[in-house]
Amino acid sequence: MVRIPPSHPRYVSLMLRERIVEGYRKGLVVLEGLIAHGRGEAFDYILGEKTHWFAEEAMRAAVALMLLSKHPVISVNGNTAALVPGDIVRLAEAVGARIEVNLFYRTKEREEAIARILREHGAQEVLGVGDDASATIPELHSERRRVSPRGILVADTVLVPLEDGDRTEALRRMGKNVIAIDLNPFSRTAQMASITIVDNVVRSVPRMVELAHEFRGLEEEVLRRIVSGYDNRRILGEAIRTIRLRLDELAEKGVFVEAGDYA
Ligand code: PTJ
């Protein structure tokens, strides 16, 4: 891995980029995943690389919903496995969810590499690998249609970090709750999900683990109220408004970084 000096003003962002590249070298991430990461970086840059209140509100509803669900499943792709494998395992444990590998660019080698890294981080069981992905999501033609009959097929709630669109729609058609984590509030996934967390997975998944521990002792009724008071359309609107306000603010200032600050 390239050594990035911790004093570099773009240190965190550059380290994440290195983690994705390392994930590619280890066979977890596809080349297309590098493009997806770059898109995420651009939105994160505009959002100020921090978790906003609208994401926090979406995370609270998401965690409450996962705790209330009978069969919550966390769907894991290459980028998520490279960026937050340990947090995914901790979140699954904290909300009682199963973990399933689900890939757009599915190969046997990648399924196994992703399952391996999740197990190295403590996962007891990883669904969706090899023959386990024997069921299909109806009306979906990509490789993402292949799911586990013990996982996504029977799930009532599916968490999809970094998704690519049409599966969210297909899962919603099957009557499932879909929780998306996507830095792009305009994406098809963000628009189609039941709950959209407009935030970086590297900040939101660890925060969801904290919330899950906090919420575990709450009465079901309290969790239900958190979920029923949530409005995804409003939250997406707030994310888009925040982007607009931030761009207005930056445009007003004109120059907003010191020379040399850009990575
Ligand atoms: O591992 P596979 O085979 O399942 O493929 C995974 C990718 C990511 C390549 C595939 O799902 C894909 O092509 O995704 P898209 O359509 O590029 O969508 C990815 C979305 O995630 C985009 O809207 C990005 O803005 C967003 N995104 C990228 N990085 C992050 C992110 N959202 C949250 N956190 C990130 N770190």
Side-chain angles (χ1 to χ4, degrees), residues 71-139:
H71 300 292
V73 173
I74 303 178
S75 176
V76 179
N77 64 11
N79 290 44
T80 308
L83 291 173
V84 281
D87 294 308
I88 288 289
V89 175
R90 281 186 281 280
L91 180 60
E93 274 168 15
V95 297
R98 289 185 134 168
I99 300 177
E100 177 164 342
V101 177
N102 185 274
L103 303 176
F104 189 79
Y105 303 98
R106 194 183 266 276
T107 64
K108 195 167 174 296
E109 291 72 25
R110 286 188 68 222
E111 286 171 14
E112 283 167 3
I114 291 167
R116 200 175 320 117
I117 191 139
L118 291 166
R119 282 201 206 93
E120 281 167 16
H121 282 82
Q124 301 292 322
E125 183 185 44
V126 180
L127 303 175
V129 181
D131 292 342
D132 186 50
S134 59
T136 41
I137 301 178
E139 297 170 52

Side-chain angles (χ1 to χ4, degrees), residues 33-51:
L34 306 185
I35 298 170
H37 184 78
R39 181 137 41 105
E41 276 183 344
F43 276 99
D44 212 11
Y45 206 117
I46 292 170
L47 284 162
E49 293 167 326
K50 64 174 190 184
T51 300

Side-chain angles (χ1 to χ4, degrees), residues 216-234:
R216 256 199 313 201
L218 294 180
E219 303 270 333
E220 266 196 36
E221 189 43 41
V222 178
L223 296 175
R224 274 186 216 294
R225 252 184 279 135
I226 295 174
V227 175
S228 62
Y230 179 80
D231 177 353
N232 207 45
R233 192 180 283 254
R234 181 176 70 85

Side-chain angles (χ1 to χ4, degrees), residues 30 32-33 36-37 39-40 77-79 83 102-105 110 144 162-164 181-184 187 199-201:
V30 266
E32 291 81 350
H37 184 78
R39 181 137 41 105
N77 64 11
N79 290 44
L83 291 173
N102 185 274
L103 303 176
F104 189 79
Y105 303 98
R110 286 188 68 222
R144 282 217 191 277
L162 262 123
E163 179 72 12
D164 47 50
I181 306 177
D182 193 331
L183 278 159
N184 175 4
S187 78
D199 197 13
N200 199 318
V201 291

Side-chain angles (χ1 to χ4, degrees), residues 46 240-254 256:
I46 292 170
I240 293 167
R241 201 187 323 277
T242 299
I243 289 177
R244 197 197 70 206
L245 289 173
R246 205 173 131 74
L247 291 176
D248 280 349
E249 203 181 283
L250 296 177
E252 204 57 44
K253 284 191 201 159
F256 53 92

Side-chain angles (χ1 to χ4, degrees), residues 1-64:
M1 226 203 271
V2 172
R3 208 193 91 78
I4 313 284
S7 58
H8 194 290
R10 304 286 309 144
Y11 178 74
V12 176
S13 176
L14 291 176
M15 284 307 290
L16 290 181
R17 197 180 280 181
E18 286 307 310
R19 226 188 283 169
I20 280 286
V21 170
E22 190 65 15
Y24 170 71
R25 293 197 180 110
K26 284 188 191 158
L28 304 169
V29 175
V30 266
L31 278 173
E32 291 81 350
L34 306 185
I35 298 170
H37 184 78
R39 181 137 41 105
E41 276 183 344
F43 276 99
D44 212 11
Y45 206 117
I46 292 170
L47 284 162
E49 293 167 326
K50 64 174 190 184
T51 300
H52 290 266
W53 70 267
F54 49 79
E56 174 74 15
E57 203 169 310
M59 283 190 266
R60 294 176 75 83
V63 169

Side-chain angles (χ1 to χ4, degrees), residues 180-201:
I181 306 177
D182 193 331
L183 278 159
N184 175 4
F186 308 106
S187 78
R188 210 174 153 69
T189 302
Q191 298 281 325
M192 294 306 302
S194 329
I195 297 177
T196 307
I197 300 163
V198 181
D199 197 13
N200 199 318
V201 291

